[in-house]
Structure formats: structure tokens, C-alpha cells
Amino acid sequence: MRDLNALPKAHLHLHFTGSMRVSTLVEMAEEQGLRLPENLTDNVSLHVPADQRGWFRFQRAYDAARKVVRSEAAMRRIVRDAAEDDKREGSRRLEIQIDPTSYAPFVGGITPALEIVLDEAALASRDVGIEVGVIVAASRIRHPLEARTLARLAAKHAGDGPGHVVGFGLSNDERRGTTSEWSAAFNIARRAGIAAVPHGGELLGPDHLREVVAHLRPVRLGHGVRAAEDSDLLARIVDAGIAFEVCPASNVSLGVYAHQDEVPLRTLLDAGAQVALGADDPLLFLSRLTDQYNIARELGCDDYEIAMLAHSSISASLASEQSKRHWHDEIDAWLATPDTDDHAA
């Protein structure tokens, strides 16, 4: 089998704090004299029995990790490490997602918090050799008016290249709030040329997805896997050209599906969906980008289908058309290389 680390691809679903290496988290905590929960440092994290999984376990772990990110240096290190890790796994384009509100108290406000990340994204792109764009994400656990503030800030830094805001998202527990209340923020971002990339269709099913599609008008859905439960809805999403950011390991660790074999990747692909595989939060799920392609392989995708997934990730990215053409050619070259028995774990 061909080496999946050598496969050119784009990484479109990666959260800022959740992108951290365990070793980085431990170092930062030690520097500040902070004690971390054992499940964040013992390499088991959220790997628990199916009946013990769930959102609140995840959120507690994420909040504990986020508490160590208290400086500009820490924020820059996270961006740089994420770029380096993605580069090693063949990623040509990383679109990392952040809610700057969470880090604002330590760096002087939401504006410097975002500008630190954007600046380091540009520097890491230059130094590491991977394009790093930034998605600004509002949170469902905060007031929708705060999302409008974030959207206005994002609009000031809009673009498609490294170090620019390329997308506007909505994350956190999708069971919170009324989706339509965030439509004004997405309209602000959209008028600035920023793509809508909200979460939806993970913890809640088709009815919730209909609301997300109707009110937020996404070009990509963070997760969206629950569309597989409604063939008519799935067909409408596919026909609208909305891409899915599918994170198989995350779906299992959060208890959306009990086992890897239940992740409806095949259903989405058979429906003609554009699917970009993502790692979501490697710190907590202990599963990085290449691991998601390994899961696709274990779910029955051959190397041609694996290459098509990589093509989809590039097409669904918010990179320039020139960059996309170059990376598509690189994927074709990967597929044209001889098959071997050795492949990345």
C-alpha cells in the first residue's frame, strides 16, 4: 500500500488547543506549576468504554488543556507545532480553528489574540512549507452578539492565503442555543468574503442540520455525519456543493458511534459527497490526520478512493485556485507511484 504520510492533502478541521502535542501540554503546565488531569498525560485521554464517552467528558478535558495557554509564546508555539506536525503528514494546507475570546485575557484582548495567531500562521507557512489559514469560530455557549464582534474582527483580516482569516465557524456543544441567532454574525463574515464553516450534524441529527444549512448557509459542515440518517437531506447537501469535514476518530471517542465501523463514510461517499478528513483534536483523541486516512483504508477504501478523499480535501479548502491545481497534480503523482506492501501506521 502507498505511504499515507506521503499523500498530499489538506487539513480542514483542527482546533487550536486540541492540536497540541501531549509533550507540549506537559511542558507548559510544568512551567506554570499547573496540575493536569491524569487522562491528559497518560496517553489514554478519551479512550474509554463506549458507555462512558460523551461531550461533557471531552469538554472538561479541553478546558483543562486550555488553561495552560496563557501567553503569546504559548499561542505561537501551538501554531508552529501544528504546522510542523501537519507537514510531516503530507498536509499542504492547514486551516486551524480558534475562538480568540478564550485566550484574550492573557494577551490584551481578542484583537491581539487573533493577530498573534495570524502572524505566526504566516511565519510558520514561510518556515515550514505548508499554507496555514485561520478559521475564527464563535461559540454556542456564548451570546450570539459576541459572535458578531468576532465576525467584524475576522472581516478585517480576510483573505485566502497564509496568515489570513479564511473561514468563520460556530463550535462547541451544538445542543446549545438557537442556530438562527447566529445568522447575523455569519452574514457579516460572508459580506467580507469569508466562508461559512459551522459545526453541525454530530451530536444532533438531520433536523438540526437543516437549521444549520438554512440559517448559516455553509460551504462546509464541521462533521455533518448525521446527514447519513436522512437520504433526502444528504442529497440536498450534496447537490448544494456543501463539503463534509469528517473526523472518524473523534466521532468514536465522543460516542457518536460506538465503533469505527459505524462511521458512515461509505454512505457519504456513495451519495457523492465531498469529504475532507480531519483530526479535530489530536491532543484528546490521540489520532492525527494520517490516522484518519488509515481509518478510511480500514473501512474499505482502496488507494484510488483514498486519493479521491485527498482531492476532496484540497477542493474543499479555501486556498487559491493556483495552489489547489498544484496540489491536485501532486496527488495524481502519488497515485501513479507503484503500490508497495509498506505503508504508514
Side-chain angles (χ1 to χ4, degrees), residues 142-182:
R142 298 182 184 274
H143 196 282
L145 286 175
E146 292 191 24
R148 300 187 198 183
T149 300
L150 286 176
R152 293 186 185 98
L153 176 60
K156 296 178 181 178
H157 301 280
D160 63 12
H164 289 99
V165 174
V166 299
F168 190 76
L170 180 63
S171 60
N172 214 295
D173 189 345
E174 64 193 78
R175 296 167 294 192
R176 300 283 294 273
T178 302
T179 299
S180 61
E181 293 180 349
W182 278 277

Side-chain angles (χ1 to χ4, degrees), residues 84-97:
E84 291 175 350
D85 289 343
D86 260 37
K87 175 69 173 180
R88 280 191 291 271
E89 294 189 297
S91 178
R92 303 308 198 254
R93 169 84 172 191
L94 168 60
E95 295 177 1
I96 192 166
Q97 184 165 162

Side-chain angles (χ1 to χ4, degrees), residues 20-308:
M20 270 197 289
R21 304 166 184 166
V22 174
S23 59
T24 297
L25 177 69
V26 171
E27 287 179 26
M28 288 184 179
E30 289 177 347
E31 289 171 358
Q32 299 175 66
L34 296 175
R35 183 177 178 180
L36 294 167
E38 290 184 3
N39 70 328
L40 282 176
T41 59
D42 58 10
N43 288 324
V44 297
S45 195
L46 298 180
H47 288 194
V48 297
D51 62 356
Q52 297 178 29
R53 300 172 194 161
W55 177 264
F56 294 109
R57 178 186 290 269
F58 160 79
Q59 192 61 59
R60 285 195 300 271
Y62 197 97
D63 289 343
R66 187 163 47 201
K67 287 180 181 178
V68 310
V69 187
R70 298 184 174 189
S71 68
E72 176 178 346
M75 297 179 72
R76 288 184 180 276
R77 181 174 180 181
I78 290 172
V79 175
R80 180 64 59 117
D81 284 356
E84 291 175 350
D85 289 343
D86 260 37
K87 175 69 173 180
R88 280 191 291 271
E89 294 189 297
S91 178
R92 303 308 198 254
R93 169 84 172 191
L94 168 60
E95 295 177 1
I96 192 166
Q97 184 165 162
I98 183 171
D99 176 359
T101 308
S102 301
Y103 314 94
F106 308 107
V107 294
I110 59 171
T111 298
L114 178 58
E115 290 180 348
I116 288 166
V117 171
L118 293 173
D119 184 61
E120 191 60 34
L123 292 173
S125 299
R126 180 197 67 192
D127 298 341
V128 178
I130 171 178
E131 288 193 7
V132 183
V134 176
I135 294 169
V136 173
S139 173
R140 280 185 173 271
I141 67 173
R142 298 182 184 274
H143 196 282
L145 286 175
E146 292 191 24
R148 300 187 198 183
T149 300
L150 286 176
R152 293 186 185 98
L153 176 60
K156 296 178 181 178
H157 301 280
D160 63 12
H164 289 99
V165 174
V166 299
F168 190 76
L170 180 63
S171 60
N172 214 295
D173 189 345
E174 64 193 78
R175 296 167 294 192
R176 300 283 294 273
T178 302
T179 299
S180 61
E181 293 180 349
W182 278 277
S183 62
F186 278 81
N187 288 338
I188 292 168
R190 190 176 293 107
R191 286 194 294 269
I194 299 174
V197 290
H199 284 53
E202 179 189 25
L203 302 181
L204 296 178
D207 288 343
H208 167 70
L209 263 177
R210 288 187 182 90
E211 294 178 1
V212 171
V213 171
H215 295 293
L216 307 185
R217 295 159 54 194
V219 301
R220 293 196 318 245
L221 285 166
H223 302 292
V225 287
R226 302 288 295 278
E229 299 167 15
D230 186 320
S231 58
D232 290 338
L233 173 64
L234 177 55
R236 288 200 295 273
I237 293 173
V238 171
D239 289 345
I242 301 169
F244 293 79
E245 302 163 4
V246 177
C247 308
S250 167
N251 292 161
V252 175
S253 289
L254 284 177
V256 178
Y257 303 108
H259 303 288
Q260 175 179 297
D261 292 349
E262 297 175 10
V263 176
L265 178 61
R266 177 58 61 188
T267 300
L268 298 178
L269 294 177
D270 288 347
Q274 187 177 64
V275 173
L277 297 179
D280 205 357
D281 296 284
L283 172 67
L284 303 179
F285 306 133
L286 302 177
S287 184
R288 291 201 49 80
L289 180 58
T290 295
D291 294 321
Q292 313 314 308
Y293 284 82
N294 268 314
I295 291 172
R297 185 174 266 168
E298 291 166 2
L299 291 175
C301 290
D302 60 24
D303 276 7
Y304 175 79
E305 291 173 306
I306 293 288
M308 294 306 103

